[in-house]
């Protein structure tokens, strides 16, 4: 049983401009879990270059878009998605 | 069939995939690489994607269209380096009659643009680059180094 204050590594994928400004396309962040997507984003924005990310980017957990208040579970794959520009 | 490809899109082959004797109408949409954006001359584009999510979302859009209308949909989006005039995305909607084929084709390309995690970086004739961002003023974001 994992207590509420336990911390875990969260894998965060970055794409396109967000990968450019952070200088990486994947990060492993040590965070107290459970954490919300908003808290994961705040941790990424605190990294060098992270201030260029908006406070509320599109986010996905395990390939599904999720709202900022969604809880991240251990083992989840979090992705921060720049504004979509396909087509 | 995967919806993402790193190779050139063969629109005729895509149409062939959804044609059948019962389908009297096939509507195609091709998205082509344009040579200008916001008054600047574009020389080429790099498309990238969150590939597993983009595949999943494309499949979901196709399945939504096929359950909403009596259509068969073929959809491909190209990734990687493209030059002016290349086909970036192709949709073919085949149906018994044209009204449904037009409607379903329009639905699919609109949903692809709104939902599929794909990004494009434009290379301009002056040597600079910018990320296409439909939410930004001018439609493009170009990062400059932080001042020292």
């Amino acid at each position: 049983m994992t207590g509420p204050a336990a911390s875990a590594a969260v894998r965060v994928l970055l794409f396109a401009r967000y990968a450019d400004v952070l200088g990486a396309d994947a990060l492993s962040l040590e965070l107290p879990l459970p954490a919300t997507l908003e808290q994961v984003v705040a941790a990424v924005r605190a990294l060098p270059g992270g201030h260029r990310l908006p406070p509320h980017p599109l986010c996905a957990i395990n390939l599904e878009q999720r709202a900022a208040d969604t809880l991240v579970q251990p083992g989840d794959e979090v992705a921060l998605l720049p504004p979509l520009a396909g087509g | 069939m995967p919806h993402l490809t790193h190779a050139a899109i063969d629109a005729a082959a895509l149409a062939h995939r959804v044609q059948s004797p019962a389908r009297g109408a096939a509507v195609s949409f091709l998205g082509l690489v344009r040579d200008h954006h916001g008054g600047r001359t574009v020389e080429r584009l790099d498309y990238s994607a969150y590939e597993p999510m983009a595949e999943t979302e494309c499949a979901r859009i196709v399945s939504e269209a096929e359950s909403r209308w009596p259509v068969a949909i073929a959809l491909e989006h190209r990734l990687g380096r493209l030059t002016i005039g290349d086909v970036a995305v192709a949709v073919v909607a085949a149906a018994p009659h044209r009204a449904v084929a037009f409607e379903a084709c329009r639905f699919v390309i609109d949903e692809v643009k709104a939902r599929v995690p794909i990004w494009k970086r434009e290379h301009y004739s002056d040597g600079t680059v910018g990320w296409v961002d439909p939410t930004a003023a001018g439609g493009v974001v170009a990062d400059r180094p932080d001042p020292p």
Side-chain angles (χ1 to χ4, degrees):
Chain A
M1 192 70 194
T2 306
S7 80
V10 177
R11 182 170 159 77
V12 181
L13 304 182
L14 303 168
F15 295 92
R17 178 175 166 260
Y18 295 173
D20 267 7
V21 299
L22 268 299
D25 51 19
L27 304 168
S28 184
L29 299 176
E30 199 68 28
L31 284 177
L33 293 185
T36 62
L37 272 176
E38 192 165 28
Q39 289 168 317
V40 173
V41 169
V44 174
R45 294 185 78 231
L47 297 172
H51 64 284
R52 293 175 187 263
L53 266 61
H56 304 289
L58 292 177
C59 295
I61 299 177
N62 303 333
L63 312 183
E64 299 282 347
Q65 271 196 50
R66 295 290 181 216
D69 60 357
T70 308
L71 288 176
V72 176
Q73 306 296 335
D76 279 351
E77 179 176 278
V78 174
L80 307 191
L81 310 176
L84 308 182
Chain B
M1 296 293 286
H3 299 292
L4 304 178
T5 177
H6 289 263
I9 291 175
D10 181 345
L14 217 58
H16 189 72
R17 217 189 283 167
V18 288
Q19 285 170 15
S20 83
R23 299 185 186 123
V27 170
S28 300
F29 172 83
L30 302 181
L32 309 174
V33 177
R34 190 174 45 216
D35 71 354
H36 65 278
H37 186 194
R40 307 181 73 180
T41 302
V42 175
E43 294 209 321
R44 61 172 202 271
L45 291 181
D46 295 320
Y47 278 95
S48 59
Y50 182 13
E51 294 197 29
M53 183 175 172
E55 278 290 355
T56 302
E57 206 57 38
C58 283
R60 195 172 285 161
I61 291 165
V62 167
S63 133
E64 284 172 18
E66 289 177 342
S67 59
R68 187 158 157 188
W69 294 282
V71 286
I73 302 289
L75 163 64
E76 273 189 4
H77 201 302
R78 189 171 166 190
L79 301 177
R81 176 156 297 181
L82 278 70
T83 55
I84 308 309
D86 282 347
V87 178
V89 59
V91 180
V92 184
H97 302 285
R98 70 185 182 283
V100 157
F102 274 110
E103 202 175 351
C105 186
R106 175 71 186 257
F107 168 84
V108 170
I109 188 59
D110 287 352
E111 294 299 303
V112 165
K113 286 178 107 51
R115 289 162 52 183
V116 179
I118 292 177
W119 300 281
K120 67 186 158 194
R121 185 168 55 179
E122 295 178 330
H123 295 253
Y124 306 105
S125 56
D126 62 4
T128 61
V129 298
W131 287 103
V132 174
D133 179 348
T135 70
V140 171
V141 177
D143 290 292
R144 312 249 178 278
D146 284 322

